[in-house]
Amino acid sequence: MATMLDYINEEEAILKQIMMKYQPVAEPDLEQLTTLLILATGSSYNACLAAKATMEKIANISITIEEPYNFNHYGTIPNSVDAVLAVSQSGKSASTIDAMAHIKEKGKLTIALTGNSESPLSDMVDYLVDIDMGIETVGFVTKGYSATVLQLILLSLTIGHSKGIVAEKIDFYQRELDKVIDKIPEIIEQSNHFFERYEELFKVSSRYIAIGYGPNWGTAKEFETKFTETVRQPSQGFELEAYMHGPYLEANNEHILFFIETPSVNLARSKKLRDYMKPYVGKVLTITTEKSVDEGTLGLDINCDEFVSQLALVIPFQLLAYKIATTKGIDLNQRIFDDFDRILQSKI
Ligand SMILES: O=P(O)(O)OC[C@H]1O[C@](O)(CO)[C@@H](O)[C@@H]1O
């Protein structure tokens, strides 16, 4: 039976294959695109949040991401929206399918990004992008998450190309993406060592928090989803400034705080919060694309653009989720809440 770890180890090959196949083609449908509404839930929502700032920057577009169920019941589509993109790795999330069926009637350009070309989503839309990540049988998705982030960034390169955005920008991002993908095996190894260093602490910890900014707000939210699904103890991901508006008041010595950092105008603010919080929590750990400066830092040492750093920085959290769950004695192959989908029908 394939495990989460098997899929984490496949990420480099899958992402490389996606990069190799990618050709920026000008799509007439995407030429006028300036405002995009995205519908996605769970890890797919987090992947969209992680890709949002990068897509906006590359393609000169503005993006809003909505939870499909809420949007379907309470949302409205502003006239300014040019296209609606549904993202679902399995293609089976009922809320995403239902919302898209309604949107179809509104006459907007519809796009789907899914790993399931047999899904009803695929037939429904004007423009289909295959996540092209092969099979992932483990519900706690890892390679599918990373492939979704990459495909979203590549979609923005296609949009940018269709809008006539200069080729240098496309070349630059393709090179940056290749650089990060090449580093994946090393990141997995570094993350393993980091886990071993803190295994005894992780084994007994009961509250986990991750704080990120920009594209890594999405990484923090994916940490939250992954830890909740696997470690099954209170875990929350916050945007840097949002943590300072209430959540810090909960801090105590049972908390492990992960700071997700990469060079940015926001780095100094993250460091300031990190230094402030240190005496009030059990442990402050940093996961950064920079070099390690102390034992509490997992420094990936990748000199990459902030807008592709989310592809690197999520991998330690995927690995830690698997390893911490395992060291706590959780058997991730053992299905739980087996009747959930039958009763709640959140997946078709
Ligand atoms: O991307 P999909 O297939 O729509 O799934 C969304 C989410 O649903 C779940 O499978 C269960 O809620 C999550 O693990 C996943 O992130």
Side-chain angles (χ1 to χ4, degrees):
M1 187 186 277
T3 66
M4 226 175 127
L5 191 57
D6 295 327
Y7 291 125
I8 295 169
N9 285 322
E10 279 180 27
E11 286 187 44
E12 184 209 10
I14 290 291
L15 301 191
K16 276 195 167 154
Q17 215 174 78
I18 293 173
M19 287 304 288
M20 243 155 55
K21 286 192 198 166
Y22 179 71
Q23 289 292 340
V25 207
E27 297 284 351
D29 278 353
L30 305 178
E31 247 170 47
Q32 306 295 330
L33 209 163
T34 56
T35 310
L36 181 66
L37 169 65
I38 303 184
L39 301 175
T41 194
S43 284
S44 288
Y45 183 101
N46 305 336
C48 295
L49 189 58
K52 179 181 187 284
T54 313
M55 295 176 77
E56 291 180 327
K57 189 177 160 87
I58 290 176
N60 287 345
I61 54 176
S62 144
I63 296 176
T64 309
I65 312 165
E66 297 266 2
E67 279 289 347
Y69 186 88
N70 190 68
F71 187 80
N72 203 18
H73 290 87
Y74 301 100
T76 50
I77 308 183
N79 284 338
S80 56
V81 166
D82 303 306
V84 183
L85 166 65
V87 180
S88 174
Q89 182 181 326
S90 65
K92 291 184 176 174
S93 288
S95 57
T96 311
I97 297 169
D98 291 349
M100 216 51 182
H102 283 136
I103 282 163
K104 191 76 201 129
E105 296 157 11
K106 311 275 183 217
K108 298 281 181 189
L109 175 72
T110 51
I111 311 171
L113 176 62
T114 177
N116 177 4
S117 53
E118 310 282 289
S119 152
L121 267 182
S122 312
D123 295 332
M124 227 177 251
V125 294
D126 305 309
Y127 189 90
L128 179 67
V129 185
D130 186 354
I131 300 177
D132 202 13
M133 34 61 70
I135 291 166
E136 185 162 31
T137 53
V138 175
F140 323 121
V141 299
T142 49
K143 73 167 177 175
Y145 171 86
S146 298
T148 302
V149 173
L150 178 60
Q151 290 286 9
L152 286 165
I153 296 175
L154 294 177
L155 175 63
S156 71
L157 286 174
T158 300
I159 298 170
H161 184 66
S162 307
K163 292 168 81 169
I165 289 170
V166 284
E168 295 86 70
K169 201 165 170 179
I170 294 179
D171 290 347
F172 171 78
Y173 281 104
Q174 281 187 303
R175 275 199 309 276
E176 287 295 300
L177 288 167
D178 285 338
K179 198 192 318 179
V180 168
I181 295 166
D182 276 343
K183 281 275 193 176
I184 292 177
E186 216 177 299
I187 299 174
I188 295 173
E189 204 185 315
Q190 291 163 313
S191 305
N192 265 318
H193 292 315
F194 193 71
F195 166 76
E196 281 160 15
R197 192 180 308 156
Y198 290 107
E199 180 166 4
E200 291 314 310
L201 172 70
F202 291 142
K203 199 182 262 178
V204 297
S205 297
S206 57
R207 178 81 172 112
Y208 304 87
I209 285 168
I211 298 166
Y213 47 85
N216 291 299
W217 176 16
T219 309
K221 293 308 283 184
E222 179 56 5
F223 147 88
E224 174 180 311
T225 301
K226 219 74 320 171
F227 268 54
T228 304
E229 288 175 330
T230 58
V231 178
R232 298 170 190 167
Q233 275 184 326
S235 306
Q236 259 179 300
F238 292 99
E239 188 274 331
L240 172 64
E241 192 68 21
Y243 184 76
M244 306 188 205
H245 293 267
Y248 70 96
L249 292 166
E250 181 211 8
N252 64 45
N253 61 9
E254 285 174 14
H255 287 211
I256 293 194
L257 251 57
F258 291 103
F259 281 83
I260 310 171
E261 294 181 350
T262 193
S264 158
V265 286
N266 300 300
L267 180 56
R269 188 135 181 84
S270 183
K271 284 183 172 165
K272 199 167 180 181
L273 176 64
R274 173 152 59 85
D275 291 342
Y276 180 88
M277 293 308 296
K278 227 173 240 170
Y280 299 107
V281 294
K283 189 77 185 168
V284 162
L285 298 169
T286 307
I287 301 193
T288 172
T289 53
E290 294 192 293
K291 282 194 169 95
S292 291
V293 285
D294 54 37
E295 54 94 35
T297 301
L298 169 53
L300 305 181
D301 191 15
I302 311 174
N303 180 17
C304 68
D305 190 82
E306 177 184 10
F307 290 88
V308 299
S309 67
Q310 70 277 49
L311 272 175
L313 288 164
V314 74
I315 288 169
F317 291 110
Q318 295 174 335
L319 206 276
L320 288 176
Y322 175 80
K323 294 271 179 181
I324 296 173
T326 307
T327 198
K328 280 180 182 285
I330 297 168
D331 178 2
L332 293 174
N333 289 325
Q334 180 72 43
R335 277 187 71 95
I336 55 171
F337 297 102
D338 237 1
D339 55 353
F340 189 88
D341 282 340
R342 183 174 53 78
I343 295 175
L344 274 302
Q345 299 191 342
S346 62
K347 293 269 169 115
I348 58 164

